[in-house]
């Protein structure tokens, strides 16, 4: 397989980090992304992993027992009314888990503020040998791939990269040819899902967010040009499947992860 595959936590968001590891391993994944910040309002069960307590210890134990690796940790978000964008312990725990990347989005409307905060995060993450991946979406402060590339050029940090999420990329007007115009060194991995032809309006932020959180499809179930997108990515770039769907939310987490594994394996090996 030319692109290693990973299970993003959002695909089985009801699973705690230890449960995520067990489910991923049983489904066939050797790599995962872990959401360290639990958010009950969007369906994440409350758990405390940002300190040396039972959840972190059990997570580390299951990683060791299964051999599963951590591709990235999430979810960081720069909010204009919250000066502290990185929870205490986030970077330290990311490093302890062996993560290679941390993921961040920005709700800052002021680009200069985003650049300052992003640069500071990169500097802090560098102490833990972590890369910082900036994810863009049409309803955030960094709206498109071109905008993200421009911002990284201004931030000038060697451990900075861009996260292409297939859904956000498509909804922001991106096409696979745009990926070929980006320095491959900036594209460390990508998040993959499919989507229907019924696109929310570009100014309908609530609908776009609902689609991102509960309306994604598995590769092959929608209309996105995923094979072309994967072909445009750097050779060997990992693909993380992030495909939460309200249509399958009642299925056991293992069943959802197994379906995701099959769909992503088929795409990655195509």
């Amino acid at each position: 397989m030319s692109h290693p595959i990973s299970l993003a936590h959002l695909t089985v968001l009801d699973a705690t980090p230890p449960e995520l590891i067990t489910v991923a391993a049983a489904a066939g994944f050797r790599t995962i992304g872990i959401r360290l910040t639990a958010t009950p309002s969007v369906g994440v069960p409350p758990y405390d992993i940002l300190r040396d307590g039972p959840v972190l210890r059990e997570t580390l134990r299951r990683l060791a027992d299964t051999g599963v690796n951590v591709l990235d940790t999430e979810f960081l978000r720069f909010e204009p009314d919250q000066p502290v964008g990185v929870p205490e312990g986030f970077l330290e725990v990311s490093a302890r888990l062996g993560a290679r990347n941390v993921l961040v989005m920005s709700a800052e409307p002021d680009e200069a503020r985003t650049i300052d905060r992003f640069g500071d995060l990169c500097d802090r993450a560098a102490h833990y040998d972590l890369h910082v991946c900036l994810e863009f979406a049409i309803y955030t402060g960094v709206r498109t791939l071109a905008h993200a590339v421009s911002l990284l050029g201004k931030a000038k940090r060697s451990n900075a990269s861009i996260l292409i999420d297939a859904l956000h990329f498509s909804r922001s007007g991106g096409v696979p040819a745009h990926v070929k115009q980006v320095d491959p060194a900036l594209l460390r991995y990508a998040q993959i899902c499919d989507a229907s032809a019924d696109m929310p309006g570009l100014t309908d932020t609530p609908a776009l967010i609902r689609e991102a959180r509960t309306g994604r499809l598995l590769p092959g179930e929608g209309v996105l040009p995923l094979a072309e997108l994967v072909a445009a990515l750097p050779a060997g770039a990992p693909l993380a499947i992030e495909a939460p769907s309200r249509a399958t939310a009642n299925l056991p987490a293992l069943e959802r992860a197994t379906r995701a594994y099959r769909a992503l394996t088929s795409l990655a090996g195509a």
Side-chain angles (χ1 to χ4, degrees):
M1 198 178 303
S2 59
H3 293 273
I5 63 173
S6 179
L7 177 64
H9 204 161
L10 198 61
T11 304
V12 288
L13 196 56
D14 50 317
T16 64
E19 292 167 348
L20 168 67
I21 295 162
T22 298
V23 165
F29 289 96
R30 308 305 299 165
T31 306
I32 58 172
I34 296 182
R35 181 172 285 232
L36 299 183
T37 51
T39 311
S41 63
V42 295
V44 185
Y47 51 78
D48 181 6
I49 194 174
L50 295 182
R51 64 181 181 89
D52 192 9
V55 176
L56 178 57
R57 289 194 292 269
E58 181 63 15
T59 300
L60 290 167
R61 185 186 71 79
R62 294 198 195 188
L63 287 173
D65 288 349
T66 61
V68 169
N69 299 307
V70 178
L71 175 65
D72 69 347
T73 55
E74 55 177 344
F75 175 68
L76 298 177
R77 185 178 175 92
F78 299 143
E79 300 282 359
D81 58 344
Q82 297 177 13
V84 179
V86 184
E88 184 177 355
F90 189 98
L91 297 176
E92 293 87 344
V93 168
S94 296
R96 288 189 64 183
L97 294 172
R100 288 166 267 172
N101 309 281
V102 296
L103 184 59
V104 65
M105 296 183 83
S106 179
E108 280 280 4
D110 186 301
E111 183 180 279
R113 283 278 295 153
T114 294
I115 293 170
D116 287 345
R117 297 181 72 171
F118 182 75
D120 177 68
L121 174 58
C122 287
D123 293 343
R124 294 172 61 184
H127 293 292
Y128 298 94
D129 198 26
L130 291 165
H131 276 256
V132 179
C133 299
L134 178 64
E135 183 175 2
F136 60 91
I138 194 67
Y139 54 83
T140 70
V142 185
R143 298 169 57 84
T144 65
L145 176 59
H147 191 187
V149 170
S150 172
L151 192 146
L152 260 64
K154 295 172 183 176
K156 296 182 173 64
R157 296 301 195 278
S158 61
N159 62 331
S161 58
I162 297 169
L163 188 284
I164 291 179
D165 176 298
L167 178 66
H168 296 320
F169 180 58
S170 172
R171 295 322 193 210
S172 66
V175 297
H178 296 157
V179 179
K180 285 291 190 180
Q181 301 169 10
V182 178
D183 180 354
L186 297 180
L187 304 175
R188 291 176 56 82
Y189 68 105
Q191 288 180 339
I192 299 296
C193 71
D194 217 330
S196 73
D198 297 325
M199 176 181 171
L202 293 182
T203 60
D204 191 348
T205 295
L208 289 165
I209 292 174
R210 281 196 302 273
E211 180 185 45
R213 289 178 176 173
T214 64
R216 297 173 184 243
L217 302 175
L218 294 176
E221 295 180 346
V223 300
L224 300 188
L226 296 180
E228 293 83 354
L229 173 59
V230 170
L233 292 167
L239 307 176
I241 188 158
E242 184 171 85
S245 171
R246 57 183 170 273
T248 58
N250 291 328
L251 293 176
L254 178 55
E255 175 64 21
R256 281 174 277 147
T258 299
R259 292 185 181 193
Y261 178 83
R262 290 171 182 160
L264 187 56
T265 299
S266 177
L267 176 66

